[in-house]
Amino acid sequence: MTATEAPTTGHVGQVRLRKEDARLVTGRATWTDNITPAGCLYMMVVRSPMAHATVTGVDVSVATDAPGVVAAYTGADLADAWQTSLPSVWQVTPDVKEPPHYPLTQDKVRFVGDGVAVVLATSRQAAVDAAELVDVTYDPLPAVTDVAQALKDEVLVHDDEGTNRCYSYHWDSGNVDEVFEQADVVVERRLINQRLIPTAIEPRAVVAQPEPTGGYTVFSATQIPHILRIQLAIVCGVPEHQLRVVAPDVGGGFGSKLNIYAEEALALALAQKLGQPIKWTETRSEGYQATIHGRDHIQDLAIAATSDGRIVGFKADIKADLGAYLQLVTTGTPMLGAFMYPAIYKLEAHDLTITGVFTTKTPTDAYRGAGRPEATFAIERMVDELAAELGMDPMEVRRKSWIAHEEFPYDTITGLTYDSGNYEAATDKAMALFGYDELRREQQQRRDDGDTTQLGIGISTFTEMCGLAPSRALGSLNYRAGGWEHATIRMLPTGKIQVITGTSPHGQGHVTSWSQIAADALGLPYEDVEVLHGDTAISHKGMDTYGSRSLAIGGYAVHEAAQKVIAKAKRFAAHLLEASEDDIEFADGTFSVRGSPDAAKTIQDIALAVFAAHDYPEDMEPALDAEATIDPENFSFPHGTHLCAAEVDTETGRVTIRRYVAVDDVGKVINPQIVEGQVHGGIAQGVGQALYEEAVYDADGNLTTGSLLDYHVPSAADLPAFETDRTETPATSNPLGVKGVGEAGTIASTPAVVNAVVDALRPMGVTDVRMPTSPQHVWEAIEAAQGGAA
Amino acid sequence: MTNVQITVDGTTYEDEVEPRLLLVQYLRDVLGKTGTNIGCDTSNCGACTVHLDGRSVKSCTVLAVQADGATVDTIEGLASTDGAGGDGDATAGWHPLQRAFHTEHGLQCGYCTPGMIMAAADLLRENPDPSEEEVRHGLEGNLCRCTGYVNIVKAVRTAAAELRGEEVGA
Ligand code: FES
Ligand code: FES
């Protein structure tokens, strides 16, 4: 996709170069760490080097006397600062265990990185030095590093809870036992969806500053300034109206900045206590301990089908490693996938159990896709395993079992209604682009030749649910917030507008896309639209950016606010043109009287007339500004077909992606360049999981992949050029016809790649390769298969 | 404390610095030149890439005292005129790499971008017409978590063509 000349009509659906870029490419961005108020104190958190221990003493006296140090506090010192524990937003079951989680621990440390004390100094370096002088004594306890061990409840992470089982959730529908008994074929597998570290390239940072007029401003590298404001107000006891939260330029999130973190609460509490600005920026290695991880599921799966390849049932028993504490959406992350195990297939029976388990590791939470990558990986891997069992082409099995285009809207077995979709169209396009049949022929040739480099073809015909979410649906699931989104349009006297959005972009290009939506709706030049966000003093209302929700809900709110502006302007136009409102037509920014095209006012004319307010209808206020709060009626269900051709060197275990083709259907598209970028980045993260990334703990609970040296975030040299295309089946749940796109690539790509790797090795008897499919894991899989065969 | 004299983006600064101060901290914390970012503590991410006497370095791997007497160029000095603050004409003074990252959508959050562009500038100095593979390997030391690199590679090759004097785009 290359940039094109501006067409004469319409911005929606066209490439518009991003308004965001100017400051980013010239080094003029405002990252949180760039903000250093006068008199700022640097905060350093003293963290546990042990995974699990009783804290027998914390002595900050030497640190307090160190040069440059202003204060140092233990967990006990700050115990009164907290009105309540850090929040967990989703009560997933009535008896879910929600142990308290305070910004500094007092009794016990529960993971390497758990905060025990805090040091404040006049320079970054002084704080770093002084933190080393804090004397903490520990009485070590055994680490709990895997869920099987944790579920024995021999060592408890939270003693008061009496168990490491945080919750168990069960769902079934259809006659599961009967369907599985009568099925011609049942395939069972245990798959491991390993622990990942999100690694937004901007580390987390926070600056909390007291305002001279009272109240506080908190700058944070966060995806959720609005949610952060209300939660920090509650945790720290600051009246909400006296707390302003600003998400300045934010360097990526992927879920890792979708949280209420200890350091955010500490910075605010200490700004309250000392009356001085407090600043904290994590180092990358610190962040690898203190910022949430993702995934970490053990999946015991079973798929049932008829002998001709029609899928009839799916069972999933999921053990989710939650880590040591509940962060904001720790409990809910596996649940966000709970409804998606059946994916695009028409099942007769489905059975799901999710067990959330505490361990002595960094908490897990929502990482790009949050639950849906896990579910999609499970079903898409199992469909390939089923096809292999049946000796069928895996695409053939899918075609026999998926929801046909004419069956939409479709009520799924998990109670969702998929509003639209066209799996046939996306698949046909992807297969043609990929050259599926030709690659299958090459694969056969290499198998016949006994080539040491085998070719595998992996398929992922994914769908997902995103656009969190209808508030009533969330309420019925005991999610403690709504899913609406807000937009305001301010009409300025010269006919320029400011769009204020409740979404909080950190790379997604909302400023550009929202400008396109508003410009088209109001018939204004694209340049005449400014989009403001990420500051609660400007954008007072919002639910922020995560879960691929921003466009389908926030973009919709912009569109809706524009309709309200038009409705008002129409009445002013009728008044000014001395016509009946029913005779006023609006097109391309101009109101005209039906039948007399010369009688017309532009929206700019009306903006100025309303500003002057000399002549307007009796029953109106002289204002065109409007706001809209949109609560979506349904989730959004993007889908697509991703195909991967991977070469696997059977001697070295090395995997190389040769082709990667993705055809995504994200409904109507506002800016194809931005959408394509989201897909590229999403695929890269999913491929990262498939091939390279894993957060590894040793038996003592130490994170052995504790920095970017050991945790392999893929570089340009590790990835191929992804080939992307789209089909466009509009969503019916919003007037723009749009679906989410932010997570689609990540959700789709992991199973496509792993299916390709397993497919390459299948003639050797391999039926799974544990992720990441590194040379070592490939080699182990070959060894295991051949040992088993011998 | 040690006295250093360093020319950054054309301005010569003289400061007393601690011997352990990293060049990137000198730029950011002492000079307030926050265009250069920090993304790691193990010299893996490349977010901090600048030019030291014309060659690309990760400024977190260099001590400020090692840069004494040297010339440092950062993203902030790359545009020939101050290109900040707008669209349209503002891009005219940009370096071809800055323009190409914009037109090819080679950035999303933009946090890796200053380092990525500075690394790419040095890559193109050494190899004015790199293949896709050469760009991918040349930028191996710079991590981007947002873009999947496809458009970064495109942007670098587009800028390379422009720097070679070829007609670009349209
Ligand atoms: S900050 Fe220098 S390489 Fe990461
Ligand atoms: S654009 Fe976000 S890290 Fe590269």
Side-chain angles (χ1 to χ4, degrees), chain A residues 18 34 129 285 693 714, chain B residues 20 28 41 98 108 145 149:
Chain A
R18 294 202 321 169
N34 296 1
D129 293 345
S285 307
E693 300 179 34
Chain B
R20 62 177 168 171
R28 291 182 56 81
D41 47 5
Q98 292 173 312
Q108 290 179 27
R145 197 57 155 166
Y149 303 104

